[in-house]
């Protein structure tokens, strides 16, 4: 069965306006784009949340929780994601995300938060840096395969499609390294790819090589 | 709506860019495109109105998976909720983007004499087509109005709808497969799956007696047309009188089992305190829980929205709906004086015991000022709504008497 996070295009409106009986079998839907992103913060948990909290659902789930929950409650929520739903979070991730959510979603307006760039600097100093490891471990540790598969679109594009896209492009390696490190959206769809500021240059190169070889 | 004077609490705001402040909370995340929103009277209750496939703009709870709530004004349009306004609820984001009804298959397996893999035309040919008008309500409908607030989908009152369902009794399909001795429960799953393999599948279970009773149905039509994709096209389990969590969408597999199903969405989620009121003192944890079950009696005013203005000494027709878990509504009453006196409303045509029941009442406001209009219903077995909201840790089955604050001018 195909995944749903497809090309969020104007096709949606075509579907909307068709009389229902005129819809030919098979019935296909295109969902509107996500509009809610995580509130920026300079806490290290922001980077972890960007990497881990967008795998299974959009950020509106977090945005619409009521104000006033404390850090214990938000940490409990993060732990529930890990224990009940199998979110790939380490114990330290749970703590960092809990701290970030409590500080950012306590009810204060989001605009008071600092821009994301600082978080990246902080995080790159706090995220554990494993000694050089094989690419499989890198993919696991960073939950890349929560959002990507080799041969089909999940939350992000299939690695095979990425490799095809860059075929013959001399700048491929440096561009892909840059995109993994800094994340971003709009190249494949509306859902953002989270930044991975904690990855070392050698690790980024390993990952980019792997993706481009698919 | 019978009044179109300015209304203060419930309002639609046109938002532009990122510079908006709604309900005291800044919504950082909007982009350049404008989004219409609907405000609700609880903290952080403003939602974007977004049009999804086959739907008019509805209140977006989550984009991925799609989770949409019906703006409450829709319920004043008709007793049957239009398909394009019916709420949408998925738990897991790996949902199909395309469904081919011609190649669709429903499997029946487990403790049966004859496992089946039915096409839609085979399913339809298995027995007599039946019809029921029934309410589908989310277990957590109105959670946002609860206190103290809890984590979960932050729903207003619009995660409910009433539709005419057409299909075949579940019983007919199970009997065709031949349920064997020792059957204890029947499980149901659809085409919605987790994103990661570590997340539990969404599987629901009914006791064998309920599964073999007359009411549960496998439906292929909703209000006389195909079920909208996001409501479970092409077939959906209908369990009249029971909360929506059991109404499995894109139904694809039915299994008869000889034990109590232990999956996450039965054993851990969708549970209520195991006592009569399904409640505990606010903020506390129940000793014992059980899977959520039947709808409790509820009633609403739809013709006036909170904050509306009405003119003194001008008669107004109040209108709304009531429903219960399937015994039919006995009576609906309205109070304008904080519950000291209650006036009996006139019930509309009955579409069956599982349906919304429309009610109307002529009301003549006699004094200027603020009035809290309260409405309460009595269910078919004499069941009444509590004055004060009962509470449980997930804020399920909320059904207290609702108050609509209006101003007489």
């Amino acid at each position: 069965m195909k995944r749903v996070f497809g090309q969020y295009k104007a096709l949606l409106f075509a579907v909307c306006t068709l009389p229902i009986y005129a819809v030919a079998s098979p019935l296909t839907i295109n969902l509107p784009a996500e509009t809610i992103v995580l509130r920026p913060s300079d806490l290290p948990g922001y980077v972890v949340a960007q990497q881990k909290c967008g795998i299974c659902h959009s950020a509106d789930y977090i945005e619409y929780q009521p104000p006033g929950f404390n850090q214990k409650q938000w940490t409990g929520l993060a732990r529930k994601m890990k224990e009940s739903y199998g979110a790939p979070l380490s114990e330290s991730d749970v703590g960092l995300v809990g701290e970030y959510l409590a500080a950012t979603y306590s009810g204060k307006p989001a605009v008071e938060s600092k821009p994301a760039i600082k978080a990246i600097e902080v995080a790159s100093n706090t995220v554990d840096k494993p000694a050089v490891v094989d690419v499989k471990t890198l993919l696991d540790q960073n939950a890349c395969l929560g959002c990507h598969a080799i041969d089909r679109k999940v939350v992000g594009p299939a690695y095979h499609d990425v490799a095809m896209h860059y075929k013959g492009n001399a700048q491929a390696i440096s561009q892909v390294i840059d995109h993994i490190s800094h994340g971003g959206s709009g190249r494949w769809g509306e859902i953002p790819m989270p930044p991975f500021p904690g990855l070392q240059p050698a690790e980024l190169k390993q990952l980019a090589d792997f993706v481009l070889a698919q | 709506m019978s009044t179109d004077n300015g209304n203060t609490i419930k309002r639609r705001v046109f938002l532009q860019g990122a510079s908006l402040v709604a309900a005291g909370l800044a919504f950082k995340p909007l982009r350049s495109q404008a989004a219409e929103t609907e405000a609700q009277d609880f903290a952080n209750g403003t939602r974007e109105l977004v049009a999804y496939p086959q739907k008019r703009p509805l209140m977006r709870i989550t984009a991925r998976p799609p989770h949409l709530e019906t703006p409450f004004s829709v319920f004043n349009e008709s007793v049957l909720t239009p398909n394009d306004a019916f709420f949408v609820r998925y738990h897991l984001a790996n949902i199909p983007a395309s469904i081919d009804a011609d190649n669709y298959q429903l499997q029946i397996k487990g403790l049966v004499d004859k496992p089946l893999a039915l096409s839609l035309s085979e399913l339809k040919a298995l027995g007599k087509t039946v019809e029921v008008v029934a309410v589908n309500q989310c277990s957590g409908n109105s959670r946002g109005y609860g206190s103290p607030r809890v984590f979960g989908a932050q729903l207003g009152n619009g995660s409910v709808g009433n539709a005419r369902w057409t299909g075949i009794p579940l019983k007919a399909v199970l009997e065709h497969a031949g349920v064997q001795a020792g059957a204890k429960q029947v499980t149901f799953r659809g085409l919605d799956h987790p994103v990661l393999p570590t997340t539990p599948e969404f599987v629901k279970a009914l006791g064998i007696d309920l599964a073999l009773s007359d009411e549960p149905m496998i439906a292929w039509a909703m209000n006389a047309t195909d079920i909208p994709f996001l409501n479970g096209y092409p077939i959906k389990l209908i369990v009249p009188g029971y909360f929506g969590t059991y109404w499995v969408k894109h139904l694809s597999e039915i299994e008869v089992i000889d034990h109590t199903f232990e999956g996450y969405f039965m054993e851990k989620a969708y549970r209520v305190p195991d006592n009569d009121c399904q409640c505990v003192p606010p903020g506390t944890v129940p000793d014992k829980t059980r899977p959520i079950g039947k709808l409790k009696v509820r009633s609403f005013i739809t013709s006036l929205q909170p904050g509306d203005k009405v003119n003194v000494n001008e008669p107004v027709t109040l209108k709304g709906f009531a429903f219960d878990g399937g015994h039919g509504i006995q009576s609906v009453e309205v109070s304008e004086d904080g519950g000291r006196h209650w006036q009996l409303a006139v019930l509309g045509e009955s579409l069956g015991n599982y349906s919304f029941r429309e009610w109307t009442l002529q009301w003549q406001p006699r004094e200027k000022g603020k009035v809290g209009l309260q409405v309460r219903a009595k269910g078919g077995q004499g069941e009444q709504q509590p004055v004060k909201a009962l509470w449980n840790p997930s804020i399920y089955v909320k059904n207290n008497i609702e108050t609509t604050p209006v101003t007489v001018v």
Side-chain angles (χ1 to χ4, degrees):
Chain A
M1 195 53 74
K2 266 193 280 156
R3 299 277 174 148
V4 75
F5 318 114
Q7 307 71 29
Y8 304 108
K9 285 192 190 126
L11 234 156
L12 152 74
F13 299 103
V15 175
C16 287
T17 50
L18 284 176
I20 293 195
Y21 277 121
V23 176
S25 176
L27 182 56
T28 300
I29 53 165
N30 282 277
L31 299 177
E34 294 177 21
T35 54
I36 307 285
V37 296
L38 288 169
R39 296 183 185 177
S41 157
D42 48 14
L43 290 169
Y46 173 50
V47 177
V48 181
Q50 281 180 296
Q51 292 167 358
K52 308 286 173 74
C53 300
I55 298 174
C56 302
H57 50 70
S58 50
D60 2 27
Y61 241 147
I62 300 162
E63 178 66 31
Y64 291 144
Q65 296 307 313
F69 288 140
N70 60 30
Q71 185 163 341
K72 187 160 165 253
Q73 289 168 303
W74 277 113
T75 306
L77 183 274
R79 183 164 289 110
K80 176 180 170 191
M81 295 303 130
K82 174 181 159 79
E83 290 173 0
S84 298
Y85 301 130
L89 300 168
S90 66
E91 246 335 276
S92 94
D93 286 345
V94 168
L96 290 175
V97 171
E99 178 193 38
Y100 154 70
L101 294 171
T104 318
Y105 291 88
S106 62
K108 285 198 216 88
V111 284
E112 283 179 16
S113 300
K114 302 254 160 53
I117 192 74
K118 257 207 80 217
I120 290 167
E121 287 159 19
V122 175
S124 59
N125 296 326
T126 53
V127 174
D128 297 342
K129 293 181 188 103
V132 173
V133 287
D134 62 279
V135 73
K136 169 95 185 39
T137 312
L138 281 176
L139 291 165
D140 281 350
Q141 278 176 347
N142 295 289
C144 310
L145 300 179
C147 291
H148 294 279
I150 304 298
D151 54 352
R152 74 200 145 81
K153 180 179 168 59
V154 186
V155 180
Y159 284 154
H160 177 70
D161 293 342
V162 177
M164 284 300 120
H165 174 77
Y166 282 100
K167 215 169 165 183
N169 178 343
Q171 308 297 305
I173 271 286
S174 62
Q175 287 179 2
V176 169
I177 284 177
D178 182 61
H179 295 160
I180 296 174
S181 173
H182 295 108
S185 69
R187 284 183 296 269
W188 297 88
E190 302 289 337
I191 305 176
M193 156 87 186
F196 285 87
L199 290 171
Q200 298 301 296
E203 295 166 337
L204 287 166
K205 170 131 193 339
Q206 257 179 303
L207 286 164
D209 281 340
F210 171 81
V211 171
L212 291 171
Q214 301 309 309
Chain B
M1 297 226 315
S2 60
T3 58
D4 53 6
N5 317 4
N7 71 31
T8 51
I9 296 179
K10 170 119 185 314
R11 61 197 188 272
R12 288 182 171 192
V13 204
F14 210 69
L15 301 168
Q16 199 86 36
S19 64
L20 60 116
V21 176
L25 287 157
F27 270 40
K28 129 115 226 327
L30 294 182
R31 302 149 188 271
S32 50
Q33 90 253 29
E36 210 182 331
T37 66
E38 171 113 351
Q40 300 176 103
D41 196 16
F42 55 83
N44 204 8
T46 298
R47 302 285 176 267
E48 282 183 73
L49 289 162
V50 186
Y52 272 63
Q54 301 174 319
K55 298 283 173 184
R56 68 177 85 175
L58 300 178
M59 296 154 72
R60 177 146 85 182
I61 308 296
T62 54
R64 171 170 53 94
H67 188 172
L68 311 168
E69 188 165 12
T70 306
F72 203 74
S73 55
V74 166
F75 299 112
N76 200 44
E77 285 176 22
S78 51
V79 185
L80 293 176
T81 313
N83 287 7
D84 74 345
F86 214 94
F87 77 95
V88 169
R89 167 63 160 133
Y90 285 94
H91 302 77
L92 305 174
N94 181 4
I95 68 169
S98 179
I99 293 177
D100 183 354
D102 293 341
N103 292 314
Y104 199 84
Q105 233 187 30
L106 171 64
Q107 296 206 22
I108 295 97
K109 58 187 211 181
L111 270 188
V112 292
D113 296 333
K114 196 171 44 161
L116 303 171
L118 302 170
S119 69
L120 289 183
S121 48
E122 286 166 341
L123 174 74
K124 291 177 186 178
L126 265 193
K128 223 176 97 200
T129 298
V130 292
E131 224 177 61
V132 66
V133 177
V135 175
N136 183 4
Q137 182 182 218
C138 255
S139 311
N141 193 27
S142 313
R143 177 178 291 129
Y145 291 105
S147 175
R149 300 278 296 270
V150 299
F151 283 116
Q154 301 301 322
L155 307 173
N157 290 331
S159 289
V160 63
N162 188 42
R164 186 183 304 276
W165 309 96
T166 309
I168 184 169
L170 172 63
K171 182 170 119 170
V173 177
L174 289 173
E175 281 172 354
H176 190 76
V179 174
Q180 296 182 343
K184 188 160 181 203
Q185 286 197 327
V186 183
T187 64
F188 302 87
R189 61 172 84 204
L191 299 181
D192 38 346
H193 295 294
V195 173
L196 294 191
T198 46
T199 306
E201 291 277 350
F202 188 75
V203 183
K204 299 300 293 189
L206 299 179
I208 189 73
D209 292 342
L210 175 57
L212 288 175
S213 70
D214 291 336
E215 282 78 17
M217 173 201 286
I218 300 172
W220 51 78
M222 175 173 171
N223 294 327
T225 183
D226 286 351
I227 298 172
F229 194 106
L230 298 175
N231 291 113
Y233 177 85
I235 49 173
K236 177 183 178 82
L237 183 68
I238 306 303
V239 193
Y242 282 75
F243 276 100
T245 179
Y246 295 103
W247 299 41
V248 173
K249 295 181 293 301
H250 317 295
L251 181 64
S252 61
E253 193 186 289
I254 298 177
E255 185 171 357
V256 181
I257 59 175
D258 64 0
H259 56 278
T260 300
F261 180 69
E262 281 164 358
Y264 180 83
F265 288 96
M266 290 299 297
E267 270 304 285
K268 295 281 192 282
Y270 287 111
R271 296 181 73 88
V272 292
D274 189 14
N275 56 31
D276 281 349
C277 70
Q278 305 176 45
C279 69
V280 290
T284 65
V285 179
D287 299 332
K288 237 181 125 221
T289 61
R290 63 170 187 260
I292 195 168
K294 287 192 163 189
L295 305 177
K296 285 190 183 182
V297 62
R298 297 194 79 170
S299 56
F300 292 93
I301 295 175
T302 58
S303 58
L304 289 175
Q305 311 261 341
D308 278 353
K309 293 184 178 135
V310 293
N311 295 328
V312 71
N313 291 326
E314 261 178 40
V316 185
T317 305
L318 299 179
K319 187 173 99 169
F321 66 89
F323 64 92
D324 75 347
H327 299 286
I329 291 297
Q330 267 185 34
S331 65
V332 174
E333 295 168 303
V334 174
S335 171
E336 57 176 308
D337 60 4
R340 276 191 295 280
H341 302 92
W342 292 89
Q343 253 185 291
L344 206 56
V346 179
L347 297 183
E349 183 200 352
S350 169
L351 299 181
N353 283 355
Y354 293 106
S355 168
F356 282 173
R357 186 78 184 264
E358 192 177 79
W359 61 265
T360 52
L361 180 70
Q362 295 303 319
W363 175 52
Q364 182 142 345
R366 292 186 201 287
E367 263 173 59
K368 288 192 182 179
K370 290 197 189 316
V371 177
L373 289 173
Q374 290 180 292
V375 57
R376 69 177 186 192
K378 196 185 278 182
Q381 294 196 319
E383 192 197 353
Q384 288 184 305
Q385 299 180 244
V387 174
K388 217 171 152 278
L390 304 173
W391 191 92
N392 56 55
S394 300
I395 311 195
Y396 289 140
V397 300
K398 195 168 174 298
N399 80 325
N400 55 288
I401 294 174
E402 303 289 337
T403 304
T404 306
V406 298
T407 308
V408 182
V409 292

